[in-house]
Amino acid sequence: MIYADNAATTALSPAAFRAMQPFFSEICGNPSSLHAAGQAAKRALEDARARIAHCLNTVPACITFTSGGTESDVQALRSAAAIGAKNGKRRIISAAFEHHAVLRTLDALAQEGFQITLLPVSAEGFVSPDDLAAAITADTCLVSIMFANNEIGTIQPVQEIGAICRQHGVPFHTDAVQAAGHLPIDVQALNISMLSLSAHKFHGPKGTGVLFAERGIRLKSVITGGAQERGNRAGTENLPAIAGMAAALEESISRIPQQTGLLLQRRNRLIEGLSRIPQSFLNGSLSDRLPTNVSFCFAGIEGESLLLMLDRRGICASSGSACASGAAEPSHVLRAIGRPNELARGSLRLSISADTTDAEIGEIIAAVTESVAFLRGMAASVS
Amino acid sequence: MKTALIAMSGGVDSSTAAFLTRQAGYACIGCTMQLYENEDAGLPAEGTCCSLDDIEDARAIANRLNMPYYVFNFKERFREQVIGKFCRCYLEGRTPNPCIDCNRKLKFEALFERADALGCDKIVTGHYARIEETGQGYVLKRAADPAKDQSYVLYMLTQAQLGRVLLPLGGLSKPQVREIAEQQGFVNAHKSDSQDICFVPDGDYARVICAQTGITPKEGDFVDLQGNVLGRHAGLIHYTVGQRRGLGIAIGKPAYVVGLDVPQNRVIIGTNDDLFHRSCTVTDVNWISGEPPQEPVRCQAKIRYRHPAQPAVVQFTDAHTALLTFDAPQRAITAGQAAVFYDGETVLGGGEIKDTAR
């Protein structure tokens, strides 16, 4: 099997697995307990917090553990909205190609009386800092722009966005689920006020994530109950996963310098190979793009059929988002960058990792090329 | 090993069909066609897709039978080719059978495309009908269990399609199918049969048409066959030929809808006797053998799903159109419904009823 869907989730790294193991046996206490077992667990929890804070260049007090990227996004938006409402600011600026975790929460906030401004996205897949500067109003309580897009991999001008927000005194949240562990992130240098990340996108375990919130931002609990996480997130901490996340994040970040070159080489070979297919279109810019992301539209085919053919050949890929049933859905991201419906239907996302070999890249190119040709032949014979 | 793609609805029939296909030695892949969302049916969205429970049932059976399983997103096609046509048909004063359009455009077209992509030789459905190979090709026959026979909704199958479709339930009765499902421990062994039109779960098709098209039904006159105004109707889409209920008209005898006059937006009212016609034009005819006869052919014809087949003669007037003439007048021959021609157990062909004559 060739796994080329690392933007959906990644395999747990051996280092993360090893870091988790003690918490299934010797360290079994609840971090909230007073006794020795609880204290050992608490030490491990705070150790993980400190290490993750260090990875982002912040302090442990700014790190809240959550169940993952979606919860972090929801809590970030809800918190900023609550603060804004108190100050009479009820506008949130975001972008049309955000993850559903952000977009659906904005829908809910709109129902609750907030004004939502969705910035356009360029054909290349970027939000424009100028558009943002023009959109910020006196009643804006939050700007939320993703760090890198999950479908087309474009890395947003986060530094400029952060600077504009700082200048206007508006908090800046970024959904960094696709970026964390893959790109260096310094929340201070980038003027990021809030950031969401998810462990399983960088070879950590599923079911845990982080919400970073700079000092001065009072988080609003979305899960109410006990006083865990300084009262920011109730529920006993998922300690094995949190320990695994810390190990995975450290490891991923330490490998960025040596791995990025190799990833870029393989990604570019994949892009070149697929570009040779007639009527194929790379989605998103080639520069400022995640070193793991390849996204194409192929004219005249249905992405769903292509995914099926690849799956039968043992290649795991994706076409974008899925609905509750697991069926592929037309992508709001591809529509946001102006792909016509006809073309957007024929989309394919491949996301590689450092484990993807050169031989696998070759196999993927051959399989996609043959499958697209087969499907086009089929369509031609019908019409 | 030959491979088969099983169309699974989550119901007991297609689940049993999946089991029987695997027993027959095929490498099987299970799938469910996702056809619509609640909003398309005018129901609260609640953020979920249509009949998610049915999809989970199908997935559970496929897992139990150790088959790969996929959900195909056919919502766009279904909206255009089935719901869209359903609405148009009603607005044109006809009474559609969307299950037949779904078979034609989705099950036996879109699903075939997915089967090709997956490299599947056969497509399997849980329909109750039989396909047999003869020296001259394939024939479609009624199910062994007359109470469940669904050959009526399969009249559109071509020779090429018949050669690729497997109907493992054709020789079984419903109780036999339930027994197999029970033996296999299927969760849905006692699930009730699906009723009505899937995207109109509450039967209020007028609401769906209004929601889909944005058209508000226009009130108009009830008239008798002579054109005398009898009262006001609530909009043509609320009426179908043969309808008696909900008219609120008194003509001294039981009053029925006997026709819909679209250009004048009138509903024509008559007696039960006025509903009887001997013949109708049938369009878009599919002749199963692939060779439509030049001469008139004696047959037995059904004009709706529950209509017992009646003796008739079918005569082609051009390559795709035929005149169907019954030996005795039939009640409520309805434009938009399918007329299907049988020779005993064998389906000869069928098409869509266009208009009637006495």
Side-chain angles (χ1 to χ4, degrees), chain A residues 288-300:
Chain A
D288 293 315
R289 181 185 194 100
L290 287 173
T292 48
N293 175 287
V294 174
S295 169
F296 270 89
C297 284
F298 303 103

Side-chain angles (χ1 to χ4, degrees), chain A residues 13 17 51 53 79 84-85 102 128 189 218 224 240 307 311 321 325 327 339 346 366 381:
Chain A
S13 82
F17 186 45
R51 286 156 57 204
S79 298
V102 168
S128 142
R218 176 102 189 86
T224 47
L307 290 183
D311 192 35
S321 31
S325 67
R339 289 284 190 229
S381 71

Side-chain angles (χ1 to χ4, degrees), chain B residues 33-55:
Chain B
M33 306 189 294
Q34 176 158 18
L35 300 176
Y36 61 93
E37 298 200 49
N38 288 344
E39 283 159 304
D40 295 324
L43 296 173
E46 304 293 309
T48 62
C49 307
C50 76
S51 50
L52 208 50
D53 290 345
D54 291 335
I55 288 174

Side-chain angles (χ1 to χ4, degrees), chain B residues 228-246:
Chain B
N228 302 310
V229 175
L230 303 172
R232 296 289 284 172
H233 70 68
L236 288 185
I237 61 169
H238 293 284
Y239 306 94
T240 186
V241 170
Q243 180 177 339
R244 181 181 169 190
R245 304 177 75 140

Side-chain angles (χ1 to χ4, degrees), chain B residues 49-71:
Chain B
C49 307
C50 76
S51 50
L52 208 50
D53 290 345
D54 291 335
I55 288 174
E56 293 312 325
D57 283 350
R59 195 191 306 273
I61 300 285
N63 285 341
R64 200 186 170 96
L65 294 173
N66 215 0
M67 301 175 179
Y69 172 81
Y70 301 102
V71 180

Side-chain angles (χ1 to χ4, degrees), chain A residues 286-352:
Chain A
L286 186 56
S287 55
D288 293 315
R289 181 185 194 100
L290 287 173
T292 48
N293 175 287
V294 174
S295 169
F296 270 89
C297 284
F298 303 103
I301 66 152
E302 285 187 78
E304 189 169 275
S305 289
L306 179 57
L307 290 183
L308 295 175
M309 291 192 72
L310 294 176
D311 192 35
R312 297 316 291 165
R313 291 179 69 149
I315 297 171
C316 304
S318 156
S319 72
S321 31
C323 82
S325 67
E329 284 279 37
S331 154
H332 69 286
V333 174
L334 297 180
R335 280 200 294 253
I337 63 167
R339 289 284 190 229
N341 253 341
E342 283 297 307
L343 198 54
R345 210 175 283 144
S347 71
L348 174 70
R349 180 188 72 183
L350 298 157
S351 42
I352 62 171

